[in-house]
Amino acid sequence: EAGASILLLRACLALLASPIYLLSFLGIWEPFCRKVFFPFILEKICVIHDKKSKKHKQELFRNLPDFRGPSGVLRLLEIGTGCGANFQFYPPGCKVTCTDINPNFQEGLAKNMKKNQHLQYERFLVAAGEDLGQVPSGSVDAVVCTLVLCSVHSVSSTLREVLRVLRPGGAFYFLEHVAAEHSSWRYFWQQVCYPTWKLVFAGCCLTRELWKNLEEAKFSELNIQHISMAMPWMPIEPHIVGYGVK
């Protein structure tokens, strides 16, 4: 019953988005999405999401200074930096390495770097979360990842890389949207939107149960909180927020 409704509604949505499906078929959509559409739309969504998530992020990053290394400096690596929405929450003097699979966020990123001169920016790496080979093992005190695990190809490989680059006792901070409760309307709509959403938003998956991946990863301590963030007209209300210690 539900399965048939989902398929029917998916087809309706695909019909509405048919120009995008056609461009995708012709190989035009992906490069356009990566270079133009996604950075543009993400900056707009970031503004809304930042307002909604501000107090959660302030709370989340409050204990970042506790993870400073023996030298007294906090070396932080951010996976999927995007336009740098998290910079404002990092402690002064923090050394930041930015990574993103998509190098087309430079404009928003430059703007946020200018705004946040209390940080030291080490370098920008074009890299996927699953492959941080350019970062030496055990070389950072903290890794941050917000709204990124929804679109990596492999969550478990990404978490393996996180644990590799962290020094023992270092921390991984996350804030991610996740699958809704299976019996809920929210989950129903997540399933309806899934294929079209994934195409339009550069591989973003709506129904990942990321808390399970985090529980399976080998953190010595893991703090996860399930929260709801009202995002108008978007099937991404349920979130998890927290940190894990290596």
Side-chain angles (χ1 to χ4, degrees):
E1 171 75 1
S5 318
I6 286 167
L7 289 175
L8 181 67
L9 288 164
R10 271 185 182 178
C12 296
L13 205 52
L15 202 59
L16 286 172
S18 54
I20 293 177
Y21 278 91
L22 179 64
L23 289 173
S24 175
F25 178 72
L26 298 171
I28 297 166
W29 174 252
E30 274 75 8
F32 170 77
C33 179
R34 226 188 5 259
K35 283 201 176 75
V36 182
F37 176 77
F38 194 57
F40 170 79
I41 202 79
L42 198 70
E43 216 174 320
K44 302 286 171 270
I45 292 175
C46 267
V47 172
I48 303 169
H49 195 273
D50 288 351
K51 280 200 185 95
K52 304 272 183 189
S53 63
K54 188 164 188 174
K55 63 175 197 299
H56 295 294
K57 283 185 178 177
Q58 282 168 336
E59 186 61 38
L60 173 64
F61 294 128
R62 184 170 292 160
N63 68 346
L64 256 177
D66 300 351
F67 291 99
R68 276 195 288 251
S71 64
V73 175
L74 181 74
R75 295 159 307 167
L76 185 146
L77 171 89
E78 182 162 0
I79 297 175
T81 309
C83 36
N86 294 324
F87 292 162
Q88 55 178 310
F89 302 105
Y90 299 158
C94 173
K95 289 189 169 176
V96 183
T97 297
C98 306
T99 72
D100 207 294
I101 196 167
N102 186 346
N104 298 295
F105 289 107
Q106 302 301 8
E107 209 176 304
L109 191 62
K111 210 160 49 185
N112 270 325
M113 282 175 158
K114 230 187 231 99
K115 259 194 236 161
N116 294 282
Q117 294 187 352
H118 64 292
L119 306 176
Q120 286 175 281
Y121 300 100
E122 295 282 88
R123 50 185 183 152
F124 182 91
L125 307 173
V126 177
E130 299 92 330
D131 180 18
L132 300 169
Q134 304 169 68
V135 183
S137 300
S139 66
V140 297
D141 304 304
V143 175
V144 172
C145 186
T146 61
L147 303 188
V148 173
L149 293 176
C150 55
S151 54
V152 296
H153 289 301
S154 162
V155 178
S156 53
S157 307
T158 301
L159 293 176
R160 263 200 302 279
E161 276 291 77
V162 165
L163 284 163
R164 180 185 67 77
V165 302
L166 276 175
R167 64 164 173 80
F172 171 58
Y173 288 79
F174 53 87
L175 184 142
E176 299 283 344
H177 68 83
V178 291
E181 183 62 51
H182 280 212
S183 56
S184 67
W185 272 109
R186 276 181 184 166
Y187 187 66
F188 175 83
W189 285 112
Q190 283 181 334
Q191 287 180 290
V192 168
C193 298
Y194 188 93
T196 299
W197 183 275
K198 190 174 178 182
L199 175 66
V200 173
F201 291 104
C204 170
C205 300
L206 290 171
T207 55
R208 286 189 174 169
E209 300 179 330
L210 295 170
W211 61 91
K212 292 182 179 173
N213 302 93
L214 285 156
E215 282 157 8
E216 282 159 18
K218 301 279 186 279
F219 289 101
S220 67
E221 179 195 327
L222 185 60
N223 305 278
I224 299 185
Q225 206 185 343
H226 287 257
I227 58 171
S228 186
M229 222 177 279
M231 295 291 291
W233 298 100
M234 287 185 195
I236 56 169
E237 296 97 340
H239 282 63
I240 54 170
V241 60
Y243 66 97
V245 180
K246 175 172 170 175

